[in-house]
Amino acid sequence: MVNPDLVKERQNSTLDVDKLNLFFGQNLLLSTERYKHILNLKKRLTNQIKSLYDENYENLERNDKYELVLRKSIELIEFGLENNIDNYLEYTYIIGEVMGTEKQIFGLHFTMFSISLDLWSTPEQKTHWANFMKQNGIFGTYIQTEIGHGTYLRGLETTATYDSQTQEFILDSPTLTSIKFWPGASGKTCNYAIVMAKLIIDNKEHGIHAFVVQLRSLENHRPVPGIELGDIGKKHAYEGIDNGFVKFNKVRIPRDNMLMRFAHVSPNGEFKRTGNEVVMYACMLIMRGILCMFASLLHSISTTIAIRYSCVRRQTADPSGIEPQIIEYQTQQYRLLPGLATSYTNFFATVNFRNILNEFKKSSENFLKIDSNEIAKLHAISSGLKAIVFEDCLKFAQLNRLCCGGHGYSASSGLQPVIQEADAGCTYEGDNTVLYLQTARYLLKSAQKGFSPHLLPQNFQETKDSKVFVRFEKYTSLFEKLFEAKLREVSERMFYLIEEKNMNQYDAWNNSSLLLVETARIYVSVFVIYTNLKSLNDHSKMECNQNQIVLEELFELYLLYGIVEKFSIHFLKLELIDGTRMTDLQTKFFELLKKVRVNALCLVDAFGWSDSNLASSLGVYDGNVYEKLFDYAKNSLFNKNDVHKVYDKLVKPYVETKAKL
Amino acid sequence: MVNPDLVKERQNSTLDVDKLNLFFGQNLLLSTERYKHILNLKKRLTNQIKSLYDENYENLERNDKYELVLRKSIELIEFGLENNIDNYLEYTYIIGEVMGTEKQIFGLHFTMFSISLDLWSTPEQKTHWANFMKQNGIFGTYIQTEIGHGTYLRGLETTATYDSQTQEFILDSPTLTSIKFWPGASGKTCNYAIVMAKLIIDNKEHGIHAFVVQLRSLENHRPVPGIELGDIGKKHAYEGIDNGFVKFNKVRIPRDNMLMRFAHVSPNGEFKRTGNEVVMYACMLIMRGILCMFASLLHSISTTIAIRYSCVRRQTADPSGIEPQIIEYQTQQYRLLPGLATSYTNFFATVNFRNILNEFKKSSENFLKIDSNEIAKLHAISSGLKAIVFEDCLKFAQLNRLCCGGHGYSASSGLQPVIQEADAGCTYEGDNTVLYLQTARYLLKSAQKGFSPHLLPQNFQETKDSKVFVRFEKYTSLFEKLFEAKLREVSERMFYLIEEKNMNQYDAWNNSSLLLVETARIYVSVFVIYTNLKSLNDHSKMECNQNQIVLEELFELYLLYGIVEKFSIHFLKLELIDGTRMTDLQTKFFELLKKVRVNALCLVDAFGWSDSNLASSLGVYDGNVYEKLFDYAKNSLFNKNDVHKVYDKLVKPYVETKAKL
Ligand SMILES: Cc1cc2nc3c(=O)[nH]c(=O)nc-3n(C[C@H](O)[C@H](O)[C@H](O)COP(=O)(O)OP(=O)(O)OC[C@H]3O[C@@H](n4cnc5c(N)ncnc54)[C@H](O)[C@@H]3O)c2cc1C
Ligand SMILES: Cc1cc2nc3c(=O)[nH]c(=O)nc-3n(C[C@H](O)[C@H](O)[C@H](O)COP(=O)(O)OP(=O)(O)OC[C@H]3O[C@@H](n4cnc5c(N)ncnc54)[C@H](O)[C@@H]3O)c2cc1C
C-alpha cells in the first residue's frame, strides 16, 4: 500500500509525470525511443542480476566487497555486450539497477583509458591497440597522479627515458613523491594502463606524454618485473575498488607504446611535434562532459530521497494537534527546493554541454580540426561546469542528509554514497578551485582581447526570440550584468595591483584569486541559465502546458535563489540591486517555494529513479519508509544472536568484577 | 627528521606555542596544574594501551570493530578508575590517545544516563540507584527517540501505564513508529536504560517521564522478557557502536523506577507535580555544554590536519620554477584560516558557556533554585550554541578535507571521522534548525517583554572596561546593531503577517522561520563574540604580548569573516554597511589572512594534539606526510599477496574467455 500522504501529493500535483519523464529521458539519451529501450533493459537487468544490496554488500569486509564488486562488474560487462550497449552513459544509467550509487570497477577502462587511446593514438596505433584489446582480456586504467603531484601536470616526476639502442622507453619512479598514487583499479585489478610520464631523450625533457604500459602478466596476473604496485588502503568511499600505487623500477617498454598522434619519437630518438598539443585537452573535455552528467544525476538521487521522505515524515503538532509533513516547514522548503531546482538546471546544462561537445567532435574530425580558441572556450566552460555541478551536488546532498533528521544518518538512507561521491568529485579530474581558476584565466584573457566569452548553446538565436527568453529576461539580464561587473572588477583589480602596487602578474593573480573564482562561478552560472532557456524552449514545443508552467516555476526558483542567496552579496555590493528590491525578491522567493512545494514530489518522481537504483529506505516510491528502516535494522549483522558473541569474552567478566566490588 | 618547511614555519612564527597551549589547557580543564596532570596521564595511557589504529581498526569487519571498541572502552574505564578521573571531559580528552576521533562505547552511560539519574531522582532514588550501580555491573543508555518521533518529544508513543494493583508501570510500544530507535549502545551492550515514555494513569495522560528500565539480564545478558531489541544496522559512522532499537511488549517495572524529583505517582496512582518541570531542561543544558566543547575540539582537529598539510604540500610552479606551499594561495587561505579563527572562538565560547553553567549549578543547588527566566535564557543560548558550533565544525571539516586535495580523501587523512561526527552532531541532541528556532522563540518573547536577551559572561563589566573591548568596539557594535535590526525585522514581519495578513501565530511563525533562524544565528554569534572578548581580556593578564597580538589578529579575522562573508548580505541589505565600506573591509580581510597565515602552523601546534589523537597521515607533527601515506598504502588489506585471491575465481576466467573470442 502506498503511503496516503504520497497518494495525496500525487493527486494534488498538476504535473504530468510520465510526459516529463520522457522529456528527461529524451534529453539524457538523445531520443525517446532509445530511452524506452534502455528502460526495458533496466527491467531485464533487475530480473537477471541481483543488486549489490540484495547481496548484503555493506556488511561485507573489504576483501569480500572487492570480490562482489568485481563479480558484478564482470557480469554487467557481459550484460552490456549481450545487449549491444556501447555507449558508456547508457551503460552506467542501466547498471544503477544493480550497483545503486556505488561504482563498478571498470570506470576508467571505459573512459580515460579508452578515450585517450582513441584520441591520442596515430591511426596505426589505434588499429593495433583495438585489435590487441579485442584479442586479450585487457582491463585498463589511467595513471597520472603521483604522491607529490596531481594538479600540476608538468610537475610529474615519473620519467620515460628513450633508449635508441633498444628502441625502448625506460619508465622510472626516481623518488618517493614520484610514485603513482590513486588510479582506480590499478592496485589489483588492471593489467594495462595509460601512464603519463615525462619524456626524456638524450637528457633533454620533452614534456609529459602518454604511454601504454603493461602492469600485470596476462598469464598469471603477477606484476610485470620492475613494477611494484598495490592498493592504497581505505578511502572515504569505494571500499570495493582498488585505487592503487605504482612504482616503476626502470621498466622497459617498446617505442611504439608511446601514443604519437601529437608528438613523434623516431627510432633513432628524434622528437617532433606532429599536431596541435592543445587537443590533448579533448580527452579531458569528454571526460568532464560525462562526469558532469553523472554528477547531475547523482544530485537528483539525493533530491529524490530527501523530498520523498519529507513528504512522508510528520513532526511537531500544530495548534490543531496535527503534525504537518515536514516539507510544510519554510526552513525545510528553503533547504530542499533550491536543491531540486538546481538538480534540474544542472541536468539540462550538462546535457546541453554534452550536445555541444558532440557537435564539435563531429565537425572537427574527432577534435583534430578545431581551432585553439574554440577548444579553449570549451575547456573553460567544462572546467567551471565540472566544478559547479559537483559543488552543488555536494552541498545539496549534505543538506538533503540533514533534512532527513536522524534517519538520514542511517546507512539505509542511501545518502552517504552520494555525499561521498560528490565530495570525491570536487577533487578528482581536477580540484574545483583550480578548475575555477582555469576558467577565470580564460575569462581574463578574453576580456583583454575584447572577446565575448559566452558559449551559447547551438541554435541559440531561436531561443533568444522565444517567449521563454523574453519572460526571464529581467532576471537573465541581471546575471549578465553581474558577470560583466565582476569581470570588470577583477580586471581592474589586476590592473591596479600590477600598475599601482607594482606587483608582478603572478602575485597580482594570487591576490585576486578569490575574486577570480567568484567570477568564474558566475560565468558558468550564466552558461547554466542560457542552456536551460534553450531546454525550456525545446520543452515548450511539446505543448504540454501544465508541465511547462511547473518547469518555468522551478527555473525561476533557481534564478531567484541565485539572486537572493548564492550571489546576493555581489548583487548588493555592486549595487545592481538595492536593499528594498532585494527584500521584494526575497518575498517572491518564499512565495515561489510554496508553489514549487505543491509539485515537489512529482518533480522527483519524474526523474524516474527505481527503488533499486536509489537503494534508500527513505526514498522508496511507496513511502513505506518506517517498514524499510525497521527491516534494515532487523537484518543487522549484530542481530544474528540475541546476545552478541563478545559478551562472554568482554562484558561478562567486567560485569562480574564490578558486582564483586 | 622534521619536514624543513615546518621547521621554517615554526622558526618564523612570533608565537610562544607552549604558553598559548597552557592557556588553552587552563581554559579547557580549569587550571594549569590539572592540565599538566592530565597531559601526563595521556602519556602514561599511550604506553599502557595500544591505540585503535595500531590494532588495524579500520580494516576490521563490523563485528570485530565492535569487539575492539568494546574492549578498548572497558580498558579505558579501568584506566580512568585507576587514575581517579571522574570528570567526563577530562576522561574524553585523555582517551583520544587511544580512540583518536572514534567514539568509545559508554558515552551515554557517563552522560545522559548518569546526568538524568542525578538530576531527576528524588534524594532517596539517587542513593538507591547509586548503590545499585556500584554493586552491579551496569551499562546504561538513554532511550528517547522513536522511529516516528525525535524532535517532537510530546509525540512519543511509548506508554508507561500505571497499574495500582501491582504498583507497577507497564511499558508498551503499541505501534511500529513507537519503537525506540537510535540510542547508543542499546542494541547489544547496555543492560539498563533511562526510558522516556508517556505516563498514563487511569486512562489519563500525564506527559513524558523518565523510567529506569532493565534491558538485559545481569546473569546472562539475555533480553528481559517482553523486550525485543537489537542493533539498527550500519550508520554513516560509529561502526563499532550498537545504536539500537527497543520494542516493549507490556513490560512491567516497579513504581519506584519512575524518576520522581519533579512529579510523583503515589502507590494508589495519584499524580502530583512536585517541582519545576522546567528543570528537566537542566539535563539537556549540561549535555549540550559538554557536546559543544567536544565539537569545538573536533573542529580544531580537522584544522590542525589541514593546516599542517597545507604547509608541507607544494604545488604548481611559480615563474621562478618554485612550487609554493599551498597555504600561500589566497583561495587556500580563504578556506583554511577563517576555520582556524572559528575553532579558537568557538572553543573559548564553549568554555565560557561551561563556566557559566557551572556557576548556575552551584548557586542553584543543582538547578533546583533558579528561576524560569534564567533557565530559559540559558536554554536559548545552549540551543543556538550547540547548533552553530556543530554547523561550523561540519562546514570547516568539509572545507578542510577539500583543501587537502586527493590525499584528503584517503582514510588515512583522519578527516572522515571528524566530518561524520560533525554531521551527526547537527542532528543528535536536537536538529540544528529546530534548535535555532527554539532560540528564536525565546528572542521573540524577550523582545515582546522588552527584555535584553544577552547573556553576558560572568564579570563582564571588567571586560567592558578593558583595552580589548575598546579595540574591537567598532566591530562588536556592528554585530550588536545587526542583531537589533534583525530582531526588529522579524518582529515587524510577524506583526505584519498577523495583523495585516490575518495569519494566525502559527502560520506567521512558519512564514518567518528562515528569518528567525538567521536572527538566532546572529544572536549566538554575539554571544561568541562577547565571551571571546572576555577570554582575550583574561589572556592579556598573562602579559604575553606576542601571543596577545596573534590572538587578537585571529579574533579580528573571525569578526571580519562574519562581516564580509557569513552575514554580509544582512549587513548590506539592512544598510548597516554600504558597498564601498564593504569593499574596504574585504581588502582588510584579505590582508589579515596574510598576517594570520604567518602563525597558522604554530596556532594549530598550540592546540597540542598528539599524532595518535589526530590519527592522520597528513596531520603528523613532523610533516613526513608522504612517508605516512605510503606506509598506509603498503599496509592495505589487499596487499597481503601480489595477486589478490579473487584472481583465479573471477579475473582469470574472464581474461581467458576474452582471449578466445
Ligand atoms: C577518489 C579519487 C580517485 C582518483 N582517481 C584517479 C585516477 O584514476 N587516476 C589518476 O591519475 N588520479 C586519480 N586521482 C587523483 C586526482 O586526480 C587528484 O587528487 C586531483 O587531480 C587533485 O590533485 P592533488 O591531489 O594534487 O591536489 P592538490 O593540488 O595537492 O590540492 C590541494 C589544495 O591545494 C590547492 N591548490 C593546488 N594548486 C593550486 C593552485 N595552482 N592555485 C590555487 N590553489 C591550488 C587546491 O585548491 C587544494 O585546495 C583520484 C583522486 C581521488 C580522490
Ligand atoms: C548518530 C545518532 C545518535 C543518536 N543517539 C540517540 C540516543 O542515544 N538516544 C536517543 O534517544 N536518540 C538518539 N538519536 C536520535 C536523535 O536524537 C534524533 O534523530 C534527533 O533528535 C532529531 O530528531 P528526528 O530524527 O526526529 O528529526 P526530524 O524531526 O524528523 O527532522 C527531520 C527534518 O524536519 C525538520 N523539522 C522537524 N520538526 C520541525 C519543526 N517543528 N520546525 C521546522 N522544522 C522541523 C528538521 O529541521 C529536519 O530537517 C541519535 C541520532 C543520531 C543520528
Side-chain angles (χ1 to χ4, degrees):
Chain A
M1 215 189 69
V2 177
N3 173 291
D5 283 323
L6 296 194
V7 173
K8 219 187 289 162
E9 292 288 331
R10 287 176 181 134
Q11 276 164 359
N12 290 346
S13 167
T14 57
L15 205 72
D16 184 330
V17 171
D18 291 339
K19 272 206 184 138
L20 184 55
N21 177 257
L22 273 189
F23 183 68
F24 170 83
Q26 173 196 324
N27 271 274
L28 181 69
L29 304 182
L30 301 169
S31 89
T32 1
E33 291 64 43
R34 193 67 195 165
Y35 180 60
K36 285 182 182 162
H37 175 65
I38 295 295
L39 287 188
N40 280 331
L41 284 185
K42 264 177 167 273
K43 275 202 204 110
R44 191 181 307 164
L45 177 61
T46 30
N47 293 329
Q48 210 165 312
I49 305 183
K50 263 203 204 170
S51 103
L52 219 54
Y53 300 92
D54 289 338
E55 307 222 31
N56 195 27
Y57 173 69
E58 54 218 300
N59 282 319
L60 302 177
E61 61 92 52
R62 224 191 133 203
N63 278 302
D64 295 335
K65 278 190 173 159
Y66 173 61
E67 176 169 347
L68 188 60
V69 167
L70 188 58
R71 172 145 23 87
K72 293 290 163 195
S73 301
I74 289 173
E75 287 172 15
L76 289 169
I77 290 186
E78 300 290 354
F79 182 87
L81 287 173
E82 279 163 25
N83 293 286
N84 302 312
I85 302 297
D86 59 1
N87 173 311
Y88 187 62
L89 174 67
E90 291 181 354
Y91 178 69
T92 311
Y93 187 62
I94 292 173
I95 69 172
E97 296 300 314
V98 169
M99 301 301 296
T101 43
E102 293 286 335
K103 275 194 161 145
Q104 53 91 18
I105 211 164
F106 300 116
L108 285 169
H109 177 88
F110 291 124
T111 55
M112 285 306 284
F113 181 74
S114 307
I115 300 168
S116 56
L117 270 180
D118 179 53
L119 283 175
W120 299 344
S121 299
T122 62
E124 302 76 47
Q125 286 180 320
K126 214 162 139 168
T127 318
H128 167 75
W129 289 115
N131 285 333
F132 182 81
M133 300 295 150
K134 242 188 231 140
Q135 281 153 21
N136 298 279
I138 302 301
F139 294 128
T141 181
Y142 179 84
I143 300 186
Q144 178 169 310
T145 308
E146 299 172 355
I147 290 185
H149 287 94
T151 291
Y152 186 52
L153 187 58
R154 273 181 289 161
L156 294 182
E157 296 174 81
T158 303
T159 50
T161 309
Y162 188 61
D163 177 352
S164 56
Q165 302 254 278
T166 61
Q167 300 192 14
E168 287 168 324
F169 294 104
I170 308 165
L171 284 172
D172 200 42
S173 314
T175 59
L176 170 66
T177 45
S178 75
I179 297 170
K180 297 289 184 183
F181 216 80
W182 279 108
S186 67
K188 292 286 153 183
T189 315
C190 291
N191 43 27
Y192 266 75
I194 301 291
V195 174
M196 302 304 280
K198 190 159 62 183
L199 173 61
I200 298 177
I201 308 176
D202 294 333
N203 294 318
K204 190 160 178 273
E205 296 188 4
H206 293 277
I208 304 295
H209 293 269
F211 301 84
V212 184
V213 181
Q214 180 169 4
L215 301 177
R216 288 177 175 273
S217 149
L218 296 180
E219 301 292 297
N220 56 21
H221 212 59
R222 293 187 52 78
V224 160
I227 296 187
E228 184 189 336
L229 83 180
D231 177 72
I232 64 167
K234 281 213 177 187
K235 299 138 292 182
H236 291 184
Y238 319 127
E239 294 215 356
I241 293 185
D242 53 322
N243 294 66
F245 67 86
V246 185
K247 190 164 179 269
F248 300 102
N249 184 7
K250 306 219 185 323
V251 176
R252 292 179 166 263
I253 57 171
R255 187 185 61 94
D256 259 354
N257 284 27
M258 173 173 146
L259 299 184
M260 301 209 200
R261 193 176 179 202
F262 311 113
H264 186 265
V265 175
S266 72
N268 62 355
E270 269 168 295
F271 177 82
K272 214 166 58 197
R273 297 241 165 252
T274 52
N276 189 342
E277 202 196 5
V278 132
V279 186
M280 292 280 273
Y281 288 139
C283 184
M284 253 192 263
L285 281 179
I286 298 175
M287 192 61 208
R288 289 197 190 137
I290 295 173
L291 284 176
C292 284
M293 292 192 68
F294 289 165
S296 75
L297 293 176
L298 206 59
H299 186 158
S300 73
I301 285 181
S302 83
T303 305
T304 302
I305 295 169
I307 288 184
R308 288 230 175 104
Y309 181 62
S310 293
C311 291
V312 171
R313 181 76 169 173
R314 292 175 166 274
Q315 199 75 188
T316 320
D318 68 14
S320 73
I322 291 170
E323 295 188 72
Q325 295 159 286
I326 55 177
I327 199 172
E328 294 294 345
Y329 292 116
Q330 187 187 61
T331 42
Q332 193 81 355
Q333 292 175 7
Y334 165 75
R335 289 178 297 160
L336 285 177
L337 302 182
L340 171 64
T342 309
S343 62
Y344 266 88
T345 49
N346 283 358
F347 171 73
F348 286 121
T350 57
V351 159
N352 274 287
F353 182 72
R354 187 258 329 258
N355 296 349
I356 293 171
L357 220 54
N358 281 350
E359 205 51 48
F360 272 99
K361 190 173 148 89
K362 238 187 285 168
S363 67
S364 67
E365 293 179 20
N366 206 10
F367 295 98
L368 201 64
K369 298 204 166 153
I370 68 168
D371 73 42
S372 329
N373 283 335
E374 269 178 295
I375 205 154
K377 207 186 223 180
L378 275 175
H379 181 253
I381 294 273
S382 79
S383 305
L385 192 64
K386 184 280 192 181
I388 211 167
V389 169
F390 276 98
E391 179 178 291
D392 286 339
C393 184
L394 175 58
K395 171 180 157 183
F396 287 110
Q398 180 62 56
L399 274 177
N400 286 332
R401 138 62 201 116
L402 291 170
C403 279
C404 293
H407 300 328
Y409 202 76
S410 164
S412 76
S413 75
L415 289 168
Q416 191 168 36
V418 180
I419 295 175
Q420 289 173 333
E421 179 75 52
D423 183 21
C426 291
T427 297
Y428 63 55
E429 276 296 308
D431 166 90
N432 273 3
T433 301
V434 173
L435 290 181
Y436 277 131
L437 287 173
Q438 283 176 10
T439 306
R441 195 172 291 278
Y442 168 78
L443 294 177
L444 265 195
K445 269 197 204 154
S446 304
Q448 281 162 1
K449 293 191 209 153
F451 271 22
S452 153
H454 287 324
L455 188 73
L456 297 179
Q458 297 142 273
N459 314 325
F460 196 70
Q461 193 51 48
E462 192 197 303
T463 308
K464 239 182 163 153
D465 299 334
S466 71
K467 266 205 270 183
V468 176
F469 189 87
V470 175
R471 181 178 164 207
F472 288 107
E473 206 165 5
K474 63 175 181 236
Y475 295 124
T476 52
S477 65
L478 269 175
F479 281 91
E480 276 279 0
K481 276 190 207 135
L482 180 63
F483 170 62
E484 280 157 24
K486 264 307 203 205
L487 192 55
R488 206 176 319 118
E489 189 187 1
V490 71
S491 306
E492 282 168 9
R493 183 178 160 83
M494 288 285 290
F495 186 83
Y496 166 79
L497 293 176
I498 294 171
E499 301 296 323
E500 312 268 316
K501 291 278 186 171
N502 285 317
M503 275 189 193
N504 60 34
Q505 170 80 23
Y506 180 84
D507 288 336
W509 173 269
N510 189 23
N511 275 283
S512 313
S513 59
L514 188 71
L515 205 54
L516 286 161
V517 166
E518 285 165 352
T519 309
R521 199 182 269 120
I522 294 165
Y523 172 63
V524 260
S525 299
V526 173
F527 177 79
V528 172
I529 290 170
Y530 279 149
T531 46
N532 271 271
L533 286 171
K534 176 169 173 12
S535 295
L536 281 174
N537 188 41
D538 288 350
H539 182 270
S540 72
K541 289 175 205 157
M542 291 182 70
E543 303 199 344
C544 178
N545 201 32
Q546 55 194 116
N547 286 358
Q548 185 74 18
I549 292 172
V550 178
L551 285 178
E552 290 188 15
E553 264 171 21
L554 201 61
F555 183 56
E556 189 172 2
L557 186 66
Y558 173 80
L559 294 169
L560 277 169
Y561 183 73
I563 296 170
V564 307
E565 273 286 330
K566 211 169 169 182
F567 301 119
S568 59
I569 161 134
H570 307 299
F571 280 113
L572 286 168
K573 218 196 67 178
L574 296 167
E575 290 173 9
L576 294 167
I577 294 180
D578 65 16
T580 324
R581 175 117 191 264
M582 189 54 90
T583 305
D584 291 345
L585 289 169
Q586 282 173 329
T587 308
K588 203 159 178 178
F589 169 71
F590 284 114
E591 279 163 14
L592 203 52
L593 283 180
K594 288 194 212 167
K595 273 200 198 167
V596 168
R597 178 257 169 278
V598 176
N599 291 298
L601 183 72
C602 284
L603 278 165
V604 301
D605 284 352
F607 290 129
W609 293 116
S610 66
D611 284 351
S612 48
N613 209 137
L614 294 173
S616 164
S617 58
L618 307 184
V620 282
Y621 185 84
D622 67 12
N624 292 318
V625 303
Y626 299 135
E627 288 79 358
K628 290 282 179 329
L629 205 58
F630 193 48
D631 281 349
Y632 182 84
K634 282 189 290 194
N635 287 322
S636 164
L637 208 63
F638 286 7
N639 296 338
K640 287 213 178 113
N641 306 302
D642 264 354
V643 176
H644 195 279
K645 62 181 186 198
V646 306
Y647 166 72
D648 280 328
K649 228 196 282 182
L650 294 173
V651 182
K652 199 168 174 224
Y654 185 75
V655 171
E656 285 172 355
T657 344
K658 263 255 176 162
K660 264 178 266 147
L661 290 180
Chain B
M1 213 188 69
V2 177
N3 173 291
D5 285 322
L6 296 195
V7 173
K8 219 187 288 162
E9 292 288 331
R10 288 176 182 135
Q11 275 164 358
N12 291 345
S13 167
T14 57
L15 204 73
D16 184 329
V17 172
D18 291 339
K19 273 207 183 137
L20 185 55
N21 177 257
L22 274 190
F23 184 68
F24 169 84
Q26 171 198 327
N27 271 275
L28 182 69
L29 303 183
L30 300 169
S31 89
T32 359
E33 290 63 44
R34 193 68 195 162
Y35 179 61
K36 285 182 184 162
H37 176 65
I38 296 294
L39 287 188
N40 280 331
L41 283 185
K42 264 179 169 266
K43 274 200 206 111
R44 190 181 309 163
L45 177 60
T46 29
N47 294 326
Q48 208 166 313
I49 305 183
K50 262 202 202 171
S51 103
L52 219 55
Y53 300 92
D54 289 338
E55 306 224 31
N56 196 26
Y57 173 69
E58 55 219 299
N59 281 320
L60 302 178
E61 62 92 50
R62 228 194 127 199
N63 277 302
D64 296 335
K65 277 190 175 159
Y66 173 61
E67 177 170 345
L68 188 60
V69 167
L70 188 56
R71 172 145 22 88
K72 295 288 164 196
S73 302
I74 289 174
E75 288 171 12
L76 289 169
I77 290 186
E78 300 291 353
F79 181 87
L81 286 173
E82 279 161 27
N83 293 285
N84 302 311
I85 300 299
D86 61 359
N87 172 311
Y88 187 61
L89 174 67
E90 291 181 353
Y91 178 69
T92 311
Y93 187 62
I94 293 172
I95 69 172
E97 296 301 313
V98 168
M99 301 303 294
T101 44
E102 294 286 335
K103 276 194 160 145
Q104 52 90 19
I105 210 162
F106 300 116
L108 285 169
H109 176 88
F110 291 124
T111 56
M112 286 304 284
F113 180 74
S114 307
I115 301 168
S116 57
L117 270 179
D118 179 53
L119 283 175
W120 300 344
S121 299
T122 61
E124 303 75 50
Q125 286 182 319
K126 218 163 136 169
T127 318
H128 167 75
W129 288 118
N131 286 334
F132 182 80
M133 299 296 151
K134 244 188 229 142
Q135 282 153 19
N136 297 278
I138 301 302
F139 295 129
T141 181
Y142 180 84
I143 302 189
Q144 177 169 312
T145 309
E146 299 171 355
I147 291 186
H149 288 92
T151 292
Y152 187 53
L153 187 59
R154 272 180 290 160
L156 295 182
E157 297 173 81
T158 304
T159 50
T161 309
Y162 188 62
D163 177 351
S164 57
Q165 302 256 277
T166 61
Q167 300 191 16
E168 289 169 320
F169 294 103
I170 307 164
L171 284 172
D172 199 42
S173 314
T175 59
L176 170 65
T177 45
S178 76
I179 297 170
K180 296 289 184 184
F181 215 80
W182 278 109
S186 67
K188 292 287 153 185
T189 314
C190 291
N191 42 27
Y192 266 75
I194 301 292
V195 174
M196 302 303 280
K198 192 159 58 183
L199 172 61
I200 299 177
I201 308 175
D202 293 336
N203 293 319
K204 190 161 178 275
E205 296 187 4
H206 294 277
I208 304 296
H209 292 271
F211 302 85
V212 184
V213 182
Q214 181 170 4
L215 300 177
R216 289 176 176 273
S217 149
L218 296 179
E219 301 291 298
N220 56 24
H221 212 59
R222 291 189 52 78
V224 160
I227 296 187
E228 184 189 338
L229 83 178
D231 176 73
I232 64 167
K234 282 212 175 188
K235 298 137 292 183
H236 290 184
Y238 319 125
E239 294 216 356
I241 293 184
D242 53 321
N243 294 67
F245 68 85
V246 184
K247 191 164 179 266
F248 300 102
N249 185 10
K250 306 219 186 322
V251 177
R252 290 178 167 263
I253 58 171
R255 185 185 62 94
D256 258 354
N257 285 25
M258 175 172 143
L259 299 184
M260 301 209 199
R261 191 176 182 202
F262 311 112
H264 186 264
V265 175
S266 72
N268 62 355
E270 268 169 295
F271 177 83
K272 214 168 57 199
R273 297 239 165 252
T274 52
N276 189 344
E277 201 196 8
V278 132
V279 187
M280 293 280 274
Y281 289 139
C283 184
M284 252 192 264
L285 281 178
I286 298 174
M287 192 63 209
R288 286 195 193 141
I290 296 172
L291 284 176
C292 283
M293 290 192 70
F294 290 165
S296 75
L297 293 176
L298 207 59
H299 185 158
S300 74
I301 285 181
S302 84
T303 305
T304 303
I305 296 170
I307 287 185
R308 289 232 174 103
Y309 181 62
S310 294
C311 290
V312 171
R313 180 77 169 172
R314 292 176 167 271
Q315 200 75 188
T316 317
D318 68 15
S320 72
I322 292 170
E323 295 187 72
Q325 293 159 286
I326 56 177
I327 200 172
E328 294 294 343
Y329 293 116
Q330 187 186 64
T331 42
Q332 192 81 354
Q333 292 175 5
Y334 166 75
R335 291 179 296 161
L336 285 177
L337 303 182
L340 171 64
T342 309
S343 62
Y344 266 88
T345 50
N346 284 358
F347 172 72
F348 287 121
T350 57
V351 159
N352 275 288
F353 181 72
R354 186 257 332 254
N355 297 348
I356 293 171
L357 221 53
N358 281 350
E359 206 52 49
F360 273 99
K361 189 172 148 89
K362 241 187 284 171
S363 68
S364 67
E365 294 178 23
N366 208 9
F367 295 99
L368 201 64
K369 297 203 168 155
I370 67 168
D371 75 41
S372 330
N373 283 335
E374 269 177 295
I375 205 155
K377 206 186 223 181
L378 275 176
H379 182 253
I381 295 271
S382 80
S383 306
L385 194 63
K386 184 277 191 182
I388 209 167
V389 169
F390 276 99
E391 181 178 289
D392 286 338
C393 183
L394 174 58
K395 172 179 155 183
F396 288 111
Q398 180 62 56
L399 274 178
N400 286 333
R401 138 63 203 113
L402 291 170
C403 279
C404 293
H407 300 328
Y409 202 76
S410 164
S412 75
S413 77
L415 290 167
Q416 191 167 38
V418 180
I419 296 175
Q420 288 173 336
E421 179 74 53
D423 182 21
C426 292
T427 297
Y428 62 54
E429 274 296 308
D431 167 272
N432 274 4
T433 302
V434 172
L435 290 180
Y436 278 131
L437 288 172
Q438 283 177 9
T439 306
R441 195 172 292 277
Y442 168 77
L443 295 176
L444 265 194
K445 269 196 203 154
S446 305
Q448 281 161 3
K449 293 190 209 156
F451 270 24
S452 153
H454 288 324
L455 188 71
L456 297 181
Q458 297 143 271
N459 314 325
F460 197 69
Q461 193 51 49
E462 192 200 303
T463 309
K464 235 175 168 159
D465 299 333
S466 70
K467 266 203 270 181
V468 176
F469 189 87
V470 176
R471 183 180 162 205
F472 288 107
E473 205 166 5
K474 62 175 184 240
Y475 295 125
T476 51
S477 65
L478 269 175
F479 281 91
E480 275 281 357
K481 277 191 207 135
L482 179 63
F483 171 62
E484 281 158 24
K486 264 306 200 208
L487 191 56
R488 207 176 317 118
E489 187 186 2
V490 71
S491 305
E492 281 169 8
R493 185 179 158 83
M494 289 285 290
F495 186 84
Y496 166 80
L497 293 176
I498 294 170
E499 300 296 323
E500 312 268 315
K501 291 276 187 175
N502 285 318
M503 276 190 193
N504 60 34
Q505 171 80 23
Y506 180 85
D507 289 336
W509 173 269
N510 189 23
N511 275 282
S512 313
S513 58
L514 189 69
L515 205 54
L516 288 161
V517 166
E518 286 165 352
T519 309
R521 199 181 271 119
I522 294 165
Y523 172 63
V524 259
S525 299
V526 173
F527 177 79
V528 172
I529 289 169
Y530 279 149
T531 45
N532 271 270
L533 286 172
K534 175 165 172 14
S535 295
L536 282 174
N537 189 40
D538 287 349
H539 183 271
S540 71
K541 291 176 207 158
M542 293 182 69
E543 304 202 343
C544 178
N545 200 33
Q546 57 195 115
N547 286 358
Q548 185 73 19
I549 292 172
V550 177
L551 285 179
E552 290 188 16
E553 264 171 21
L554 201 61
F555 183 56
E556 189 172 3
L557 186 66
Y558 174 81
L559 295 168
L560 278 169
Y561 183 72
I563 297 171
V564 306
E565 273 285 329
K566 211 168 168 182
F567 301 120
S568 59
I569 162 138
H570 307 297
F571 282 113
L572 286 168
K573 220 195 67 179
L574 295 168
E575 292 173 8
L576 294 168
I577 294 180
D578 64 16
T580 323
R581 175 115 192 264
M582 188 56 89
T583 306
D584 291 344
L585 289 169
Q586 281 174 329
T587 309
K588 204 158 178 181
F589 169 71
F590 283 114
E591 278 162 16
L592 203 52
L593 284 179
K594 286 194 214 169
K595 273 200 202 167
V596 169
R597 177 254 169 279
V598 175
N599 292 299
L601 183 71
C602 285
L603 279 165
V604 302
D605 283 353
F607 289 129
W609 293 116
S610 66
D611 284 352
S612 48
N613 208 136
L614 294 173
S616 164
S617 59
L618 307 185
V620 282
Y621 183 83
D622 68 11
N624 292 318
V625 302
Y626 299 135
E627 288 78 358
K628 290 282 179 331
L629 205 59
F630 193 47
D631 281 350
Y632 182 83
K634 281 189 290 193
N635 287 323
S636 164
L637 208 64
F638 286 8
N639 296 337
K640 287 215 178 108
N641 306 302
D642 266 355
V643 176
H644 195 279
K645 62 181 187 202
V646 307
Y647 166 72
D648 280 330
K649 228 197 279 184
L650 293 174
V651 182
K652 198 168 175 222
Y654 185 74
V655 170
E656 284 172 354
T657 345
K658 263 255 174 158
K660 265 181 262 145
L661 288 180

